Amino acid sequence: GEDVEQSLFLSVREGDSSVINCTYTDSSSTYLYWYKQEPGAGLQLLTYIFSNMDMKQDQRLTVLLNKKDKHLSLRIADTQTGDSAIYFCAESLTGTASKLTFGTGTRLQVTL
Amino acid sequence: DTGVSQDPRHKITKRGQNVTFRCDPISEHNRLYWYRQTLGQGPEFLTYFQNEAQLEKSRLLSDRFSAERPKGSFSTLEIQHTEQGDSAMYLCASSTAQMNQPQHFGDGTRLSIL
């Protein structure tokens, strides 16, 4: 079955790197996504990675995928107060081409 | 590119009333999705359309829920005889029809049932 898990909370100091982790159970995942949600708002797509890739970098964001362990991480370099939000990991599965299955989200708190 | 637009942003209603939400997708996106997000949880898939055809519905979509996309552009989600458990954020997303193209979300409609 589909199950995506994330830790609930992460606190980092401004300027440090943040690493948000996600594990998934379905080996037929094709794409894995990271979304950001600020209070009262919808989800903002940050980045996504195809399951045959190991890494993707986009400015301050680095995504690492360990397909053997079904582990996905999002690293934010030089974390800023504006990065404070909830971060969701999501997967789409081979053959569905439609719905996303989301984790419960990780709340990132950036302190001064 | 104006993004996905949802209306209203907030809806407060009494239990038992009917409510309808609207979603306008990004133009030229022929796929449209509805999700529900309760407090402290990630979004859960409800249904999706390709053009005007409703291709998949979740078991979360009870008989009181109906979604339409009559002309393949905007979509409406109606909830009849609302219950307190319907209180949630209802999110709409759109994408192109290419395999696994990312979904872009609107800001959602927050529904509160009194």
Side-chain angles (χ1 to χ4, degrees), chain A residues 31 35 37 40 92 97-98, chain B residues 9 31 35 37 56 100 103:
Chain A
Y31 278 86
Y35 284 88
Q37 187 175 38
S92 63
S98 56
Chain B
R9 289 295 312 280
R31 284 192 176 166
Y35 291 82
Q37 184 180 22
E56 187 174 347
N100 290 315
Q103 297 176 26

Side-chain angles (χ1 to χ4, degrees), chain A residues 50-63:
Chain A
F50 187 49
S51 57
N52 69 353
M53 298 170 62
D54 298 325
M55 186 183 88
K56 181 178 180 181
Q57 188 157 2
D58 184 1
Q59 299 183 335
R60 291 191 299 125
L61 305 179
T62 303
V63 179

Side-chain angles (χ1 to χ4, degrees), chain A residues 4-106:
Chain A
V4 179
E5 295 189 355
Q6 301 178 238
S7 53
L8 291 180
F9 184 75
L10 176 66
S11 181
V12 298
R13 295 180 67 171
E14 188 178 38
D16 288 350
S17 292
S18 308
V19 180
I20 301 171
N21 295 301
C22 169
T23 58
Y24 58 97
T25 57
D26 201 310
S27 57
S28 59
S29 294
T30 52
Y31 278 86
L32 294 136
Y33 303 82
W34 285 103
Y35 284 88
K36 175 184 179 183
Q37 187 175 38
E38 298 186 52
L43 275 69
Q44 175 192 352
L45 176 68
L46 292 177
T47 187
Y48 59 102
I49 188 168
F50 187 49
S51 57
N52 69 353
M53 298 170 62
D54 298 325
M55 186 183 88
K56 181 178 180 181
Q57 188 157 2
D58 184 1
Q59 299 183 335
R60 291 191 299 125
L61 305 179
T62 303
V63 179
L64 294 177
L65 176 60
N66 181 328
K67 196 173 182 181
K68 174 177 171 289
D69 294 337
K70 296 178 188 155
H71 182 267
L72 181 75
S73 67
L74 173 69
R75 179 177 179 269
I76 306 173
D78 188 24
T79 312
Q80 302 297 307
T81 54
D83 295 324
S84 294
I86 300 176
Y87 290 79
F88 290 97
C89 167
E91 64 175 354
S92 63
L93 304 180
T94 302
T96 65
S98 56
K99 69 177 185 178
L100 296 178
T101 300
F102 286 85
T104 52
T106 299

Side-chain angles (χ1 to χ4, degrees), chain B residues 10-93:
Chain B
H10 304 276
K11 179 72 177 178
I12 302 172
T13 191
K14 292 182 180 178
R15 189 177 54 184
Q17 298 296 303
N18 300 342
V19 294
T20 301
F21 312 139
R22 176 179 169 126
C23 172
D24 288 87
I26 294 171
S27 58
E28 298 167 3
H29 277 190
N30 49 6
R31 284 192 176 166
L32 186 149
Y33 311 79
W34 286 100
Y35 291 82
R36 182 175 72 183
Q37 184 180 22
T38 53
L39 204 61
Q41 301 297 315
E44 294 175 291
F45 171 80
L46 292 178
T47 188
Y48 100 98
F49 293 83
Q50 181 155 317
N51 300 315
E52 64 276 6
Q54 189 172 16
L55 297 186
E56 187 174 347
K57 291 195 289 187
S58 161
R59 59 180 171 77
L60 293 175
L61 212 66
S62 75
D63 292 344
R64 297 185 296 106
F65 288 68
S66 62
E68 294 183 344
R69 195 183 183 198
K71 296 181 181 178
S73 56
F74 73 91
S75 175
T76 57
L77 177 68
E78 181 183 15
I79 309 174
Q80 295 184 325
H81 312 302
T82 52
E83 302 172 356
Q84 287 207 322
D86 297 331
S87 295
M89 174 83 90
Y90 290 85
L91 293 162
C92 176

